[in-house]
Amino acid sequence: MEDIKKLLAKVAPGKEVAEGTQYPTIELEPNEVRAVAKKLKEAGFDYLINLTGVDYTDALGTVYHISSSTNKTAVVVLKTKTADRENPVLYTVCDIWKSADLYEREVFDFYGIRFIDHPDMRRIFLRGDWKGFPFRKDYNEVNEMPTTNVNIDDLETLPSITFDKEGKIVEKTKQLFDNNEYVVNFGPQHPATHGVLHLRVSLDGEIVKKVDPNFGYIHRGIEKMCESLTYPQILPYTERLDYLSGSINRHAFCMCVEKAAGIEVPQRAQYIRCIFDELTRIASHLLGWGCMAMDMGAITAFIYGMRDREKIMDIFEENAGGRLMPAYSIIGGLTKDVVPNFQQTISEFVAYMRESIKEYHTLFTGNPIATGRMHNVGWLTKETAVALGTTGPTGRASGWSNDVRKIAPYAAYDKVKFKEVLRNTDTCKGDSFDRYIIRLDEVLESLNIIEQLNENLPDDGVNVKVPAIVKLPEGEYYQRAESARGDFGVYIKSDGNKNPYRVKFRSPCMTLISALDPLCKGEKIADLITIGASLDYVIPCADR
Amino acid sequence: MEVKNLRVKSMNHVTFNDNEYLEQYVEELKKGGVNVAIGCLDDCINWGRSHSVWPLTFATACCGIEFMCVGAARTDFARFGWEVTRNSPRQSDVVFVAGTIVNKMAPVLKRLYDQMAEPKYVIAMGGCAISGGPFKNSYNVVKGVNEIIPVDVYVPGCPPRPNAVLYGMLQMERKIKLEGFFKLPKKPAITPEEKVWAERLAKEEEARKAAKGIK
């Protein structure tokens, strides 16, 4: 903490580091952001975790959470705001951190803040004809359900703003594709997009030249809804973001609120939460494995994966009550204690699953068709992974150590021994096969964690008494958790009321989708499916 | 199953009796007499149709995962002849609307439905497809797919269990069996929702033409 503060004093001289915040925070004027960001990047802060837009009612602003791929535990927060609500502009950082590209488009979509020199200021989630900016506090437009698809044409022109020679802001447009380019529409209704994602793929024969993802076909506005709900009411929505790592998301949100409200959760609850997180991760990886195999034409693998997934669903149902959405964690602990034979069921499952993984390898990993489709396809280098912020198994397959369970241990993860599954730490380059195999390896590692937690389950109750209306003290809170797809984050800005002022969920899937373009460039169109499956994204998590 | 003296607001007593009322209704209709040949042919064709329904693989959100579970090993819907999931709407008979439909997706879903061949059916799966579910208050969510397309069977849940989906499928089968195949409309019947839709479309078309004319 102290050396980060020294570094901040060096990169932003004269700026005060705010006291009493979770991470070192500095507030900047809009025109200072780029200079500080560049210096931070040079000092090793190359991973932009999150970029959040905030409406301060008198001003509109952004919050940057920045970390590093080398000094992993360090997190710095930059803040900036502009008082102009009519035509707000800020400076882009998307050339410094590439992941800011989509985040800034999102901020424009929600708040109407345009970023100077950002090459692509289209709306990202909402339709082009949408009136108003829904996340502003004074938003009261009525948008009717559209009936035609005519606005799809707007996807071609990329508006942007920049300075001319006299220093005035001018508007520019650019065409996304040339007139003679051959563009194929992929989705939104396509079984291999894992949801409703619309990709526009420019082709040269069979070779992919450019991929342009078009989001928003499942944008449900969860974050805006959260602003009018109380903290316990938000919990079910967190599970429906990334439904495959539902209990992890819920756990992360509970932790964020508990940390802010100063609620101490019993050890037993933390252990059981971690067991459920790992079970969720296994279930997610099994489904990801099955779907990847199915995308390559192997139905059997999918059936096998789902067969073992049902065993996890049974454990969820027996203990929590829910299947896909266990709804187990609440603020202050768990809804109820586990059933008496929980420990025995878990140990039986661990033994069973270890055998199953061997079966999976025999069934699919060595298959010549599968290996031919996966080896040497979709190379992702470590630098690109860090720049795009593709965390989780995808980043680790390229040798980027980014496991939040190791970096910032939460709940019971500091009490168990496990190793972070990494591949290609020497070559710093991962292909589809690495991303495939790392998931199966992670399942084995998760089983180790579950076994250790299950054997040492403490006995001190599963929840503490929490008032029905939870009020958080004024301030900003951020909590990271390792979901099945990577670095999941919860940002809460509270003004002391019973409902939050702003909630933002850092979605690991959005950055994964942004990796499609650099990964698929130069590959065959058929490999787009394999690469997409190997990234294992969930669209409702990206769209929120 | 015989349930007596149950009182639930807005739910008929017969609904508890495993929905037998549909069959009873048809029995009553047939009392008046039905053409023997066509009646038998109807039964025969519908028996075949109802046991070979091809669903469209359409899933937007969480319910899609439970839909996949219905297709997987434990609750295998191949037992009922539903296993041929088609990726093209032109080849499918039924669409499971599994997940939330938002404003941007609504025209796409409508187009998918229009591309399906008659006779076609819709199953609204989960709270979001029925009424907007937990996202009802959102600025971008369609409050139930029946605003866009006519729905045959509603399967409640968030998400519904695979067993619930199977029950919904069996209700769908029962509904198909009751239809007079030779009486099915050649042209799709225009439902009130579709009428509203057509009016809106015409209005937008007019507005577009007017805008072009000014330019």
Side-chain angles (χ1 to χ4, degrees):
Chain A
M1 192 87 168
E2 278 311 308
D3 41 328
I4 299 170
K5 277 186 179 167
K6 269 183 206 163
L7 176 84
L8 279 179
K10 216 169 82 185
V11 297
K15 291 285 168 192
E16 208 178 307
V17 180
E19 288 297 324
T21 49
Q22 188 183 358
Y23 301 120
T25 311
I26 43 172
E27 287 212 31
L28 298 165
E29 291 298 314
N31 53 3
E32 295 166 340
V33 171
R34 277 184 63 84
V36 174
K38 265 184 192 157
K39 278 182 196 161
L40 273 176
K41 174 91 185 279
E42 278 160 20
F45 282 83
D46 48 2
Y47 164 39
L48 177 71
I49 305 176
N50 197 359
L51 197 163
T52 316
V54 183
D55 183 356
Y56 299 98
T57 56
D58 56 336
L60 295 165
T62 47
V63 181
Y64 305 82
H65 285 78
I66 306 150
S67 182
S68 162
S69 63
T70 44
N71 183 8
K72 286 173 282 187
T73 51
V75 179
V76 171
V77 182
L78 302 184
K79 278 191 201 171
T80 182
K81 59 183 171 189
T82 166
D84 186 1
R85 286 183 76 89
E86 283 299 306
N87 190 16
V89 285
L90 288 175
Y91 293 81
T92 182
V93 290
C94 75
D95 52 334
I96 300 164
W97 298 291
K98 208 161 175 292
S99 54
D101 191 347
L102 290 180
Y103 289 139
E104 284 177 354
R105 276 180 69 189
E106 182 194 304
V107 172
F108 167 66
D109 201 0
F110 291 168
Y111 292 97
I113 304 174
R114 288 190 294 172
F115 290 85
I116 297 165
D117 286 335
H118 189 287
D120 176 9
M121 279 275 101
R122 284 175 296 169
R123 279 196 173 253
I124 182 167
F125 294 135
L126 300 169
R127 282 167 58 102
D129 58 351
W130 190 271
K131 294 193 285 287
F133 301 102
F135 275 57
R136 288 197 184 183
K137 294 282 176 188
D138 54 359
Y139 171 76
N140 54 2
E141 302 275 353
V142 179
N143 283 283
E144 270 196 31
M145 188 175 71
T147 48
T148 51
N149 263 337
V150 281
N151 281 85
I152 210 127
D153 298 338
D154 287 351
L155 293 173
E156 293 283 323
T157 358
L158 314 180
S160 61
I161 53 170
T162 184
F163 285 118
D164 65 357
K165 280 173 196 163
E166 292 156 8
K168 271 187 197 160
I169 292 174
V170 286
E171 296 193 16
K172 279 199 312 189
T173 54
K174 209 182 104 190
Q175 286 300 308
L176 179 63
F177 298 114
D178 293 340
N179 278 338
N180 53 358
E181 249 177 301
Y182 182 69
V183 181
V184 172
N185 276 295
F186 180 69
Q189 150 59 22
H190 191 285
T193 54
H194 295 217
V196 275
L197 177 68
H198 181 200
L199 297 174
R200 291 153 57 70
V201 190
S202 156
L203 293 176
D204 176 17
E206 241 188 305
I207 312 285
V208 177
K209 276 161 74 184
K210 194 191 265 177
V211 182
D212 177 45
N214 180 12
F215 299 82
Y217 288 96
I218 183 73
H219 171 62
R220 305 181 277 202
I222 291 179
E223 288 168 2
K224 179 71 179 175
M225 287 171 73
C226 289
E227 289 173 13
S228 55
L229 298 170
T230 61
Y231 293 101
Q233 282 175 333
I234 296 172
L235 290 175
Y237 292 94
T238 55
E239 287 193 315
R240 281 154 186 82
L241 283 169
D242 174 359
Y243 39 79
L244 289 178
S245 35
S247 51
I248 305 178
N249 298 354
R250 194 172 169 122
H251 184 186
F253 189 83
C254 285
M255 277 194 297
C256 195
V257 175
E258 282 154 7
K259 202 163 65 181
I263 298 166
E264 196 72 36
V265 182
Q267 284 297 316
R268 187 180 173 84
Q270 300 208 354
Y271 272 59
I272 295 171
R273 276 179 179 183
C274 282
I275 293 176
F276 268 66
D277 283 6
E278 293 310 313
L279 285 174
T280 313
R281 195 184 316 281
I282 294 173
S284 167
H285 284 343
L286 287 182
L287 191 99
W289 173 77
C291 285
M292 185 171 180
M294 194 164 73
D295 283 351
M296 286 187 274
I299 294 278
T300 319
F302 171 75
I303 301 286
Y304 275 55
M306 293 301 266
R307 178 196 67 188
D308 295 341
R309 198 175 162 274
E310 286 290 333
K311 292 207 181 303
I312 301 175
M313 293 297 119
D314 281 351
I315 297 174
F316 283 178
E317 206 172 350
E318 194 178 10
N319 294 289
R323 258 172 63 90
L324 182 63
M325 320 274 179
Y328 205 19
S329 295
I330 48 169
I331 296 165
L334 302 169
T335 49
K336 51 184 171 289
D337 201 353
V338 289
V339 291
N341 64 344
F342 175 72
Q343 277 168 300
Q344 201 203 336
T345 324
I346 292 283
S347 53
E348 276 167 17
F349 170 75
V350 170
Y352 170 81
M353 199 62 224
R354 286 210 173 106
E355 287 304 309
S356 286
I357 293 287
K358 284 180 201 157
E359 192 182 24
Y360 295 170
H361 284 303
T362 345
L363 183 72
F364 194 68
T365 310
N367 186 316
I369 302 170
T371 47
R373 292 286 305 271
M374 293 190 290
H375 277 295
N376 297 326
V377 169
W379 289 107
L380 179 69
T381 60
K382 190 180 163 187
E383 288 84 61
T384 325
V386 176
L388 290 168
T390 51
T391 48
T394 308
R396 291 198 283 276
S398 302
W400 175 23
S401 151
N402 58 16
D403 198 331
V404 181
R405 290 173 292 176
K406 282 276 181 199
I407 296 168
Y410 52 91
Y413 283 115
D414 49 352
K415 297 185 186 67
V416 285
K417 275 190 195 144
F418 68 103
K419 65 173 199 298
E420 187 179 355
V421 187
L422 280 172
R423 286 181 73 83
N424 303 314
T425 37
D426 43 345
T427 53
C428 291
K429 231 169 126 184
D431 60 4
S432 283
F433 183 75
D434 289 318
R435 288 191 289 276
Y436 159 81
I437 203 84
I438 198 165
R439 293 207 158 78
L440 292 182
D441 291 349
E442 273 197 6
V443 170
L444 287 175
E445 206 52 52
S446 290
L447 290 173
N448 284 342
I449 298 175
I450 292 173
E451 204 167 40
Q452 289 176 47
L453 290 170
N454 189 37
E455 278 165 11
N456 306 311
L457 209 59
D459 203 9
D460 59 343
V462 289
N463 50 16
V464 287
K465 209 154 173 59
V466 175
I469 293 172
V470 186
K471 282 186 182 173
L472 299 193
E474 207 169 312
E476 286 166 39
Y477 310 97
Y478 193 80
Q479 174 67 47
R480 296 168 76 182
E482 180 73 18
S483 90
R485 274 153 204 85
D487 187 351
F488 179 80
V490 180
Y491 169 87
I492 299 178
K493 182 177 161 58
S494 166
D495 56 355
N497 278 335
K498 63 177 193 236
N499 35 20
Y501 187 80
R502 168 85 165 109
V503 177
K504 154 101 188 194
F505 298 108
R506 193 262 180 204
S507 138
C509 301
M510 196 149 117
T511 49
L512 287 176
I513 296 166
S514 72
L516 270 179
D517 182 45
L519 277 174
C520 296
K521 220 169 252 179
E523 302 286 359
K524 299 270 192 323
I525 177 86
D527 290 331
L528 175 70
I529 313 285
T530 334
I531 292 169
S534 76
L535 292 172
D536 190 23
Y537 43 69
V538 168
I539 312 299
C541 177
D543 282 1
R544 282 159 289 147
Chain B
M1 188 183 74
E2 192 65 34
V3 188
K4 273 178 188 170
N5 299 332
L6 266 174
R7 270 193 196 174
V8 175
K9 218 173 145 189
S10 78
M11 200 164 172
N12 288 331
H13 181 256
V14 282
T15 322
F16 291 104
N17 290 340
D18 205 17
N19 284 345
E20 305 281 332
Y21 69 96
L22 280 173
E23 274 99 338
Q24 285 165 10
Y25 176 59
V26 170
E27 291 280 305
E28 209 170 286
L29 280 177
K30 282 185 177 170
K31 265 184 197 164
V34 78
N35 187 319
V36 178
I38 289 183
C40 289
L41 256 178
D42 258 350
D43 286 351
C44 195
I45 289 173
N46 285 339
W47 174 78
R49 267 184 344 122
S50 64
H51 289 105
S52 155
V53 185
W54 293 6
L56 172 73
T57 47
F58 176 80
T60 58
C62 339
C63 290
I65 304 297
E66 290 297 49
F67 179 62
M68 281 153 83
C69 287
V70 186
R74 185 181 286 177
T75 47
D76 185 6
F77 59 20
R79 292 177 291 159
F80 307 99
W82 291 59
E83 80 277 24
V84 195
T85 50
R86 295 282 98 186
N87 300 331
S88 165
R90 290 161 217 275
Q91 298 165 350
S92 45
D93 301 316
V94 60
V95 51
F96 279 83
V97 186
T100 324
I101 300 299
V102 300
N103 277 358
K104 201 169 174 177
M105 193 65 197
V108 182
L109 177 63
K110 173 72 181 163
R111 186 189 278 186
L112 281 174
Y113 180 75
D114 287 343
Q115 283 174 345
M116 285 165 68
E118 288 278 343
K120 52 192 173 185
Y121 308 97
V122 178
I123 298 182
M125 182 180 168
C128 297
I130 293 172
S131 68
F135 306 101
K136 210 174 113 195
N137 296 330
S138 169
Y139 54 88
N140 200 24
V141 171
V142 176
K143 279 132 200 94
V145 282
N146 54 358
E147 289 194 6
I148 318 167
I149 51 179
V151 180
D152 293 287
V153 175
Y154 295 91
V155 184
C158 189
R161 292 172 51 85
N163 318 27
V165 182
L166 279 184
Y167 179 73
M169 282 165 39
L170 293 179
Q171 296 303 317
M172 185 78 250
E173 271 187 20
R174 181 175 269 166
K175 214 168 170 179
I176 293 173
K177 278 192 183 137
L178 292 181
E179 281 178 341
F181 182 72
F182 295 101
K183 287 179 200 153
L184 278 178
K186 296 237 166 51
K187 265 187 182 173
I190 294 178
T191 57
E193 293 92 17
E194 281 178 321
K195 209 174 170 187
V196 174
W197 188 279
E199 276 167 15
R200 267 200 206 166
L201 270 178
K203 232 185 239 176
E204 282 199 10
E205 189 68 42
E206 243 171 55
R208 245 197 349 269
K209 272 180 188 165
K212 267 184 189 170
I214 291 163
K215 272 179 191 173

